[in-house]
Amino acid sequence: MSKDNYGLDPDRPTANAAVRHADADGHVDPALEFVTDTTQPAGAAAFLRTTRAVRIRAAALLTRARRGESQWFTIGDEAALEDTARTVAEVTRERYPWDTIPYHSRWRHFEAGDVNRLKELDRLLGHLDAPQRARAHIDLVLVSVLLDAGAGPDWHYIEAATGKRFTRSEGLGVASFHAFTSGLFSSNPDHPLQADAAGLRALVTDRLGDAFQVSEVNPLVGLAGRAMLLRRLGEAMSEQPETFGDEGRPGGLFDALVGPYGPGAAPTAEITAHEILSLLLESLSRIWPAANAIDSLAADGSDAAGGIGSGDPALALGDCWRHSAVRGPGLTNGWMPFHKLSQWLTYSLLEPFEWAGVKVRHLDALTALPEYRNGGLLLDSGVIVPKDPALLERSWKVGDEFIVEWRALTIALLDELVPRVRKVLDRSEEELPLARVLEGGTWAAGRALAQRLRGGAPPLRIESDGTVF
């Protein structure tokens, strides 16, 4: 074999890096075979859907801020990081005085009020086998996570069975659990304990509001946006039967990921956390309402005329935003990716796969979740310091550079904070992966500080449509 076998035209160079660098005998470097071509929209979108891209760019913005080049923030010293690590460790010991700290996931919210709702769901599911049970668990948790953007300070949910009153994330979790078990997301009256494409596409905002007890005196932030997101989910699943099955169920993700290892999900089946995230980003990119598409940019990263992309769902970026200081190759230049809800969903899918006998590896490939509690912890602890305190007094949009940078700094700084927390708690990386530090942890410490300083309100205000925050 020689280079001629690739059919190279010297007047039209190939974009394939491996082929471009092949030697005279046609040998290619295997490492280059999997390098995405970021000058093309598909390759750029693929790169921006990796947590490697998230971490590289977040770390670069942190380095820049430490050099004093940020327009918005300064970074606290080592003492501030160490103090915050001790705070997180103290909260972790209070919350989990025993050895095992669970994953940070939606399943913790289903335990609100010390009620074992998973046990109740499994009772309702009856004698289903492990894969069928996993599909139902995934149906529930995927829909629930998409409903999990901030509820606002004025909303609450009263659980009929217990009479308990829940707010914020716990309230959204409990409300979505009961909406699921009531059959709200299923189109099949004979099988209410599922979410399917037809049921979600037909979801009326008022019905979702009724299930969440929304009224003039009990307003839920972004209700219409949440209902729209679920309808878009239904549409996306109906268009991808190869991933979600003929019924279009979120539980199809189980078969898509575990199928190669056998229909019985043998105990030897293994997947990685990033494989879950990648499938979510590839299959659900079209549901996000943010008009962020890779092909709305020119190759140098500048806005194309009108800033309007082709509308190809494969090129939609979702929770990925512009920042003037972010540098990267080709069409990725200027984009700062986060994929917060998709990563929160990935964390929440770890347990359904593990309960079904599937080992999920490389959990720390996922990043911290850049939202009010984790990011608020760093603001309230003096690790991230706004250059002007007045910046915390105004209202921001999700795509504003101030918010984009705050979220990026949150990811990079939590990567620095986690080893310090492990050291204080005398735990290894294997014992205390990021997924458990977040639960122990940073999210709860952020909430506790917010409660003490502002009655629970976050340190900054973001206008939310219910799909990111």
Side-chain angles (χ1 to χ4, degrees):
M1 177 179 283
S2 73
K3 247 182 173 180
D4 293 337
N5 291 92
Y6 291 108
L8 294 180
D9 180 347
D11 296 323
R12 299 178 62 190
T14 176
N16 187 309
V19 175
R20 277 204 317 273
H21 292 86
D23 63 22
D25 295 322
H27 299 131
V28 300
D29 181 351
L32 292 176
E33 289 190 88
F34 301 101
V35 175
T36 56
D37 181 6
T38 55
T39 66
Q40 299 299 312
F47 177 73
L48 290 171
R49 289 176 183 151
T50 65
T51 55
R52 179 171 173 266
V54 176
R55 278 197 162 96
I56 288 172
R57 293 169 186 227
L61 287 178
L62 175 58
T63 298
R64 175 176 171 270
R66 281 188 165 134
R67 290 197 303 259
E69 297 172 10
S70 171
Q71 176 184 350
W72 309 104
F73 301 101
T74 59
I75 305 300
D77 59 13
E78 179 67 21
L81 262 177
E82 294 291 345
D83 286 346
T84 305
R86 284 189 286 271
T87 298
V88 173
E90 181 180 339
V91 170
T92 301
R93 289 193 188 104
E94 290 174 358
R95 284 167 50 80
Y96 297 103
W98 55 90
D99 284 341
T100 302
I101 300 168
Y103 296 139
H104 185 56
S105 87
R106 190 58 158 164
W107 296 95
R108 306 290 79 76
H109 297 151
F110 296 145
E111 299 163 357
D114 293 322
V115 177
N116 190 340
R117 296 179 185 85
L118 173 61
K119 182 178 180 181
E120 171 63 13
L121 174 60
D122 285 342
R123 183 189 68 78
L124 293 171
L125 291 172
H127 300 293
L128 297 183
D129 62 22
Q132 289 174 311
R133 200 171 289 263
R135 292 181 198 109
H137 292 159
I138 292 170
D139 283 358
L140 164 63
V141 82
L142 192 149
V143 169
S144 184
V145 165
L146 293 186
L147 291 167
D148 191 36
D154 302 318
W155 177 83
H156 67 271
Y157 179 83
I158 297 176
E159 187 175 35
T162 64
K164 294 178 182 286
R165 184 182 189 273
F166 300 101
T167 61
R168 299 189 181 273
S169 288
E170 288 84 358
L172 292 168
V174 174
S176 61
F177 177 88
H178 290 294
F180 178 83
T181 57
S182 74
L184 180 63
F185 309 119
S186 172
S187 66
N188 189 340
D190 296 328
H191 296 283
L193 299 176
Q194 67 180 40
D196 59 61
L200 292 170
R201 287 202 315 266
L203 183 64
V204 177
T205 301
D206 287 348
R207 285 195 66 202
L208 183 65
D210 290 343
F212 279 63
Q213 301 174 357
V214 175
S215 67
E216 287 186 6
V217 296
N218 190 34
L220 174 63
V221 170
L223 175 63
R226 295 168 205 266
M228 178 193 65
L229 199 59
L230 293 187
R231 288 193 293 270
R232 293 173 74 130
L233 170 64
E235 292 168 2
M237 293 193 299
S238 67
E239 294 167 357
Q240 300 174 87
E242 70 281 4
T243 299
F244 298 103
D246 292 336
E247 287 185 293
R249 288 180 56 184
L253 293 166
F254 182 84
D255 302 281
L257 287 163
V258 179
Y261 304 97
T268 55
E270 291 186 4
I271 58 175
T272 68
H274 207 293
E275 285 173 339
I276 300 175
L277 176 62
S278 294
L279 183 56
L280 290 172
L281 291 174
E282 290 163 10
S283 60
L284 300 183
S285 62
R286 67 195 70 190
I287 76 173
W288 306 112
N292 296 335
I294 194 67
D295 59 342
S296 67
L297 295 181
D300 64 356
S302 62
D303 288 315
I308 299 172
S310 64
D312 183 347
L315 306 180
L317 297 178
D319 187 15
C320 186
W321 307 90
R322 299 302 310 281
H323 191 294
S324 61
V326 169
R327 297 290 175 261
L331 292 169
T332 73
N333 193 48
W335 286 110
M336 180 63 226
F338 298 106
H339 310 304
K340 189 266 289 187
L341 269 180
S342 296
Q343 291 205 71
W344 174 226
L345 178 53
T346 303
Y347 281 119
S348 299
L349 289 174
L350 300 178
E351 286 155 303
F353 278 94
E354 291 184 349
W355 294 332
V358 179
K359 178 65 178 177
V360 185
R361 298 197 178 278
H362 306 307
L363 305 187
D364 276 359
L366 303 178
T367 75
L369 303 176
E371 39 70 54
Y372 281 130
R373 297 313 182 194
N374 290 320
L377 167 69
L378 299 177
L379 285 170
D380 286 336
S381 299
V383 177
I384 299 176
V385 183
K387 286 190 170 181
D388 182 353
L391 294 169
L392 299 180
E393 303 301 321
R394 56 161 288 187
S395 184
W396 298 93
K397 291 183 171 62
V398 177
D400 288 337
E401 190 166 286
F402 175 81
I403 297 299
V404 174
E405 186 165 326
W406 164 64
R407 297 179 74 199
L409 296 175
T410 295
I411 289 172
L413 285 163
L414 283 178
D415 273 348
E416 294 186 3
L417 185 69
V418 166
R420 291 167 168 81
V421 174
R422 290 186 188 122
K423 184 177 180 181
V424 175
L425 293 173
D426 193 24
R427 298 289 188 92
S428 67
E429 184 175 345
E430 183 177 355
E431 292 173 312
L432 204 58
L434 174 60
R436 300 190 196 279
V437 177
L438 294 173
E439 175 58 26
T442 58
W443 191 88
R447 172 183 270 190
L449 275 175
Q451 185 63 42
R452 187 163 76 231
L453 295 172
R454 294 172 300 276
L460 42 68
R461 294 197 303 274
I462 303 173
E463 296 174 17
S464 172
D465 66 357
T467 63
V468 176
F469 282 89

